[in-house]
Amino acid sequence: MKNLSRYRWFVIVVFFLFTLLHQTDRLMIGSMQVPIMGEFKLSNSQWGLINTGALIVATILYPVWGYLYDRYARAKLLALAAFIWGSTTWLSCLMRAYVPFLATRASTGIDDSAYPGLYSLVADYFEPGLRGRVYGLLYVAQPIGYLLGMVLALMVAPLIGGWRSVFYITGGLGLVVAVLIFFGVREMPRGRAEPELEGVEELRQFRFSWAEAKLAVQKRSMWFIFAQGFAGQFPWNVITFFFFGYLIRERGYDNDSVLFTMAPVILVLASGYLLGGTLGDAVFKRTLNGRVLVSSIGVLLGAVFMFFALNTPHDQRTQFFILMCLTAVFMPLSSPNVLATIYDVTLPEVRSTTLAAESLVEFSGAALAPLIAGIIADATSLESSILVTCLTAWLLCFGLYLGALFFVPRDILGLRAQLRQRADAEKARLATTT
């Protein structure tokens, strides 16, 4: 058991590395908006379509990845996803015209929907009381990857031949990570970390069931989780793909100003994931609605501080910076808690499929966000586009979280009762065979 306790943290380090480098590769394009738009002579709508294409591909493939993860070895499939990440990134770098570049950038979305298996495998290494913090730690890799991508785009790319050269580097790292996962990460029996199954010495592999998957997505709590996931993706994707252009083109920042403003904001954002996971675990111990309460507070305060930040006069950069840091603290509070809540109410053998279904809904919002934001920006301004999409989405999420409060406790207690029944049945089966 002691060796397993140490090994599971090795797995977290590997998955942190996967997430960090994958998000660097995926999100770096947002920092390269100006040079890529200049090279291909794109409008805001065409730029939004480039990012929407990859999101549409990821959305379509989420159910496929989820099903495969629940049927086969998750670690090996994650290695395959890393290999695809590296290969498609390299392919997109070879394109010299807009349409082929649009098509190959869309292909980079194939591996973007590979995360349900990663989070499902982590759930079988860590018990529910720790999952919020562990997921918060893994989520930290996303903004750090965003920051690393920003540094590569704004500082390294001009020195080594432009944006294509940097993508060759991140694509190559994807292939390295594929080898590391393939040979270094072991599979874990589904449900191994559930407290109700702790006394079962030889845990039988529970098989994927379409009936159980259907029951999981039909739970009332999941309806609200799914709906907030759709709305909640709009702010993230609008900020990811348009905020750098907004700072440069409408607020008059140069590359250095963008870097020295946004780098601290992103570090604050990273701390918000850990804060959200830790708070969620702590409040969850007092009330089964703890994770949802933390999530609702996060989206509400994020909307408030974003409103004041973007309405700050352009010459008051210090005030703008402080308000963006406050926005960044609260924006990510919900992310680790939503993920942990899904696993709090879902059977182990259908967790990847359930998360994939939720992510399918999320990415439907994510896929629409850049294109819609680009159309609004062409008609008004980037500032108006960011404000309208972010505030509308976060206020919708707040209302949906309030609705989830009525159903999450019942679904958690129902799952725990079902797991206890399984534990009793497994103990009885083992007793008859010895």
Side-chain angles (χ1 to χ4, degrees):
M1 182 62 70
K2 187 176 181 180
N3 289 336
L4 176 61
S5 181
R6 286 199 296 261
Y7 174 74
R8 66 181 184 174
W9 289 107
F10 165 77
V11 172
I12 292 302
V13 170
V14 173
F15 285 169
F16 186 92
L17 185 64
F18 171 91
T19 306
L20 172 68
L21 296 176
H22 184 253
Q23 293 300 315
T24 298
D25 180 86
R26 175 176 175 264
L27 301 176
M28 185 167 54
I29 192 170
S31 305
M32 295 174 173
Q33 178 180 355
V34 173
I36 293 176
M37 288 183 69
E39 177 175 335
F40 292 109
K41 298 179 175 55
L42 306 179
S43 67
N44 284 314
S45 299
Q46 288 175 310
W47 168 252
L49 188 58
I50 287 175
N51 300 294
T52 290
L55 292 169
I56 288 174
V57 171
T59 301
I60 293 171
L61 290 179
Y62 256 112
V64 177
W65 280 108
Y67 172 75
L68 292 174
Y69 280 128
D70 281 332
R71 287 296 302 269
Y72 305 106
R74 292 161 289 184
K76 297 300 184 282
L77 286 168
L78 281 168
L80 174 62
F83 177 80
I84 294 172
W85 142 30
S87 302
T88 55
T89 295
W90 278 1
L91 182 64
S92 68
C93 293
L94 300 175
M95 301 300 111
R96 301 289 171 172
Y98 173 65
V99 173
F101 181 70
L102 175 65
T104 52
R105 279 304 302 179
S107 73
T108 64
I110 295 172
D111 51 274
D112 290 345
S113 49
Y115 284 93
L118 185 152
Y119 296 131
S120 171
L121 189 53
V122 169
D124 292 327
Y125 276 103
F126 292 89
E127 59 274 17
L130 280 175
R131 284 178 195 156
R133 277 165 283 181
V134 174
Y135 289 140
L137 177 61
L138 289 173
Y139 272 120
V140 165
Q142 296 187 23
I144 299 299
Y146 188 32
L147 178 59
L148 179 57
M150 179 168 46
V151 172
L152 291 173
L154 300 180
M155 301 183 68
V156 177
L159 301 176
I160 63 173
W163 59 270
R164 284 186 174 84
S165 299
V166 176
F167 275 124
Y168 281 126
I169 294 173
T170 57
L173 290 172
L175 302 180
V176 173
V177 172
V179 174
L180 180 60
I181 294 175
F182 188 87
F183 292 105
V185 176
R186 299 196 303 262
E187 194 69 16
M188 179 65 66
R190 290 171 173 83
R192 179 73 278 175
E194 300 301 327
E196 292 79 9
L197 300 175
E198 188 176 357
V200 182
E201 296 182 4
E202 297 181 17
L203 185 62
R204 181 176 54 173
Q205 274 288 8
F206 297 109
R207 298 296 180 182
F208 172 81
S209 164
W210 282 114
E212 292 292 353
K214 184 178 179 181
L215 288 173
V217 300
Q218 287 178 341
K219 291 181 178 181
R220 297 288 181 88
S221 58
M222 293 302 296
W223 295 359
F224 289 93
I225 295 296
F226 279 29
Q228 72 77 33
F230 178 87
Q233 281 299 311
F234 273 75
W236 289 101
N237 285 277
V238 170
I239 292 170
T240 296
F241 298 119
F242 286 94
F243 208 74
F244 284 88
Y246 163 67
L247 291 177
I248 293 171
R249 293 158 57 188
E250 296 191 7
R251 281 196 170 261
Y253 285 51
D254 57 23
N255 281 355
D256 289 341
S257 299
V258 169
L259 181 61
F260 289 115
T261 298
M262 292 306 296
V265 171
I266 293 170
L267 291 174
V268 172
L269 182 76
S271 70
Y273 285 112
L274 279 175
L275 177 63
T278 302
L279 285 174
D281 282 347
V283 184
F284 182 68
K285 292 177 181 178
R286 296 178 176 272
T287 170
L288 296 179
N289 270 325
R291 304 194 201 279
V292 181
L293 288 170
V294 172
S295 299
S296 62
I297 292 170
V299 295
L300 181 61
L301 292 180
V304 170
F305 287 117
M306 173 66 82
F307 173 80
F308 286 114
L310 267 66
N311 279 287
T312 300
H314 291 186
D315 60 341
Q316 297 183 20
R317 291 191 174 185
T318 300
Q319 179 179 325
F320 175 77
F321 170 74
I322 293 171
L323 288 169
M324 284 306 303
C325 285
L326 290 170
T327 304
V329 170
F330 295 103
M331 274 181 64
L333 292 191
S334 63
S335 296
N337 289 299
V338 167
L339 179 56
T341 298
I342 291 173
Y343 290 162
D344 285 337
V345 302
T346 308
L347 286 171
E349 68 268 25
V350 295
R351 282 176 175 163
S352 293
T353 300
T354 306
L355 180 59
E358 193 271 344
S359 300
L360 173 65
V361 177
E362 276 194 5
F363 265 61
S364 298
L368 291 172
L371 182 58
I372 291 174
I375 293 171
I376 296 174
D378 283 337
T380 56
S381 67
L382 282 171
E383 183 173 288
S384 296
S385 177
I386 293 169
L387 268 176
V388 168
T389 52
C390 289
L391 298 188
T392 302
W394 278 328
L395 291 176
L396 280 172
C397 287
F398 178 72
L400 290 165
Y401 281 132
L402 294 182
L405 292 172
F406 293 97
F407 302 103
V408 166
R410 184 191 65 183
D411 288 340
I412 291 175
L413 293 173
L415 175 70
R416 290 178 176 178
Q418 195 170 358
L419 290 174
R420 282 193 294 270
Q421 290 175 358
R422 285 188 172 185
D424 292 340
E426 284 296 289
K427 290 175 183 177
R429 181 182 65 84
L430 292 172
T432 60
T433 58
T434 57

